[in-house]
Amino acid sequence: KIRDQLSTQLSIASTKSNIMGACGSALMKPCLGETDVRYDANYPKTIVETDARWEKLTGYFKVNVTSFDPVDGGAAQPGPYIESVIQTHSSPFDASRTIAFYNHTVDGSRLIVNRYYFKPPAPFGFCQIPFEPPVMNAQPGSTCGVNGQVDFAGVYASLTHEHDGTLKIGRATGSYANSEDGIWDTGEGSYAKLTDDSTFEFTFVRPDEFSSVSSFVFFDDDTASLSAVHTTIPMQRIVSANTATMVRISEEEFLAGIEEYNEAFQVPQPIQAPMTSDEVAKYDGTFPAEEDWCGGVMSDVSCT
């Protein structure tokens, strides 16, 4: 009986000791989760729960893009096609105006951005320039001044364990990748974030190569302006500058718009209303797999 009482007293003493020695107790400092959100197990793990303002950026948008010559500020000019040279900011189409359709999806802690850029046929004057092979005024399968083009671009980002509301951009695909295989795993330094109640900023960085900053400013829930500046580090100059207007549309208008501009610009290899990068034939396999989201490319907070 005495042994049982002693055992009970020791158990109570041990419990009190553990309680008194636990973080947040009278004798200890506050738990890290109370002072540092990175250790807060209850911190929201979805983008919208973190900040409801992200809902403004989600959905479908029609975007009218105007591109400028970064040297003189005039309208951007088309450039010739050269085989084996990756087309970036200069291509044999009307470079000054582009119609784009954006599909921005928030899936829990992940931001999935799929965009489609329609470029009109090149102007008559450009098509009269007598280029010498291998330089050409049109891509194979296209006729200068007759056919336009559609480019796909994807961006994939997620919340991180920093718990500061910033999204780490882990992968860019299609025309944003600037690579032959259409895929670029960004590494460190590329982020998407809110800068105030109505402004979103996307920053892409490839160390010692280029920097790109895009700013979305919403006037209300359905309309916004967009500006983007792309800078090459080795050349120490801006290579592209764009402004745009964004208007929210329905999914039906989004799909119909893609079909409309495939036809209006006589695109030889049209994109037939894809919804993710894997549905674009030449970019099959570029959409991040689960292992990419969970440590391979990004550190998605929902994975742990």
Side-chain angles (χ1 to χ4, degrees), residues 136-147:
M136 298 183 289
N137 65 6
Q139 298 180 11
S142 295
T143 299
C144 188
V146 174
N147 300 117

Side-chain angles (χ1 to χ4, degrees), residues 11-284:
S11 177
I12 293 172
S14 176
T15 301
K16 286 183 177 179
S17 176
N18 289 336
I19 293 173
M20 296 299 288
C23 67
S25 67
L27 300 181
M28 300 297 289
K29 293 181 178 179
C31 296
L32 275 175
E34 296 178 16
T35 59
D36 190 332
V37 293
R38 292 177 297 174
Y39 299 95
D40 184 357
N42 297 317
Y43 195 82
K45 287 184 169 58
T46 71
I47 294 172
V48 174
E49 283 183 315
T50 300
D51 196 318
R53 290 174 296 178
W54 279 100
E55 289 186 312
K56 281 188 177 181
L57 194 64
T58 64
Y60 301 96
F61 299 90
K62 182 178 181 181
V63 185
N64 286 276
V65 184
T66 302
S67 300
F68 300 93
D69 185 315
V71 177
D72 63 17
Q77 299 300 310
Y81 171 83
I82 306 174
E83 188 176 3
S84 299
V85 175
I86 299 172
Q87 294 292 307
T88 53
H89 303 293
S90 179
S91 58
F93 304 96
D94 185 345
S96 64
R97 59 189 182 94
T98 299
I99 303 297
F101 293 90
Y102 288 2
N103 174 13
H104 297 170
T105 302
V106 168
D107 182 8
S109 58
R110 302 172 182 181
L111 176 65
I112 300 169
V113 170
N114 296 307
R115 297 172 178 168
Y116 313 90
Y117 293 91
F118 287 88
K119 298 179 181 178
F124 177 80
F126 172 79
C127 297
Q128 303 308 303
I129 299 174
F131 294 111
E132 293 292 330
V135 181
M136 298 183 289
N137 65 6
Q139 298 180 11
S142 295
T143 299
C144 188
V146 174
N147 300 117
Q149 182 184 23
V150 59
D151 290 322
F152 170 85
V155 177
Y156 309 102
S158 70
L159 286 174
T160 71
H161 292 280
E162 291 298 314
H163 289 171
D164 61 357
T166 298
L167 311 185
K168 181 185 184 299
I169 298 173
R171 175 171 290 181
T173 60
S175 62
Y176 286 171
N178 193 23
S179 64
E180 290 186 5
D181 61 0
I183 189 169
W184 171 43
D185 291 339
T186 62
E188 295 299 321
S190 298
Y191 297 96
K193 63 182 180 180
L194 268 161
T195 59
D196 61 31
D197 284 345
S198 58
T199 305
F200 300 84
E201 186 173 280
F202 283 53
T203 301
F204 298 86
V205 174
R206 183 172 279 172
D208 302 320
E209 292 187 37
F210 76 84
S211 174
S212 172
V213 179
S214 300
S215 178
F216 302 80
V217 180
F218 277 80
F219 306 120
D220 51 41
D221 289 342
D222 299 322
T223 58
S225 68
L226 165 63
S227 59
V229 176
H230 313 289
T231 304
T232 172
I233 307 302
M235 298 173 67
Q236 298 184 11
R237 71 181 183 89
I238 295 172
V239 293
S240 176
N242 311 295
T243 62
T245 57
M246 291 175 51
V247 178
R248 188 180 302 279
I249 58 177
S250 66
E251 180 178 346
E252 291 75 18
E253 290 171 322
F254 172 84
L255 297 174
I258 289 177
E259 183 176 348
E260 175 188 350
Y261 283 94
N262 274 324
E263 182 177 345
F265 291 169
Q266 299 188 51
V267 177
Q269 296 179 321
I271 290 179
Q272 298 296 345
M275 302 303 285
T276 70
S277 62
D278 278 353
E279 296 176 26
V280 181
K282 64 179 178 180
Y283 298 130
D284 183 38

Side-chain angles (χ1 to χ4, degrees), residues 41 45 109-110 160-161 163 290 293-295 299-304:
K45 287 184 169 58
S109 58
R110 302 172 182 181
T160 71
H161 292 280
H163 289 171
E290 193 64 18
W293 290 104
C294 297
S299 298
D300 182 1
V301 69
S302 69
C303 295
T304 54

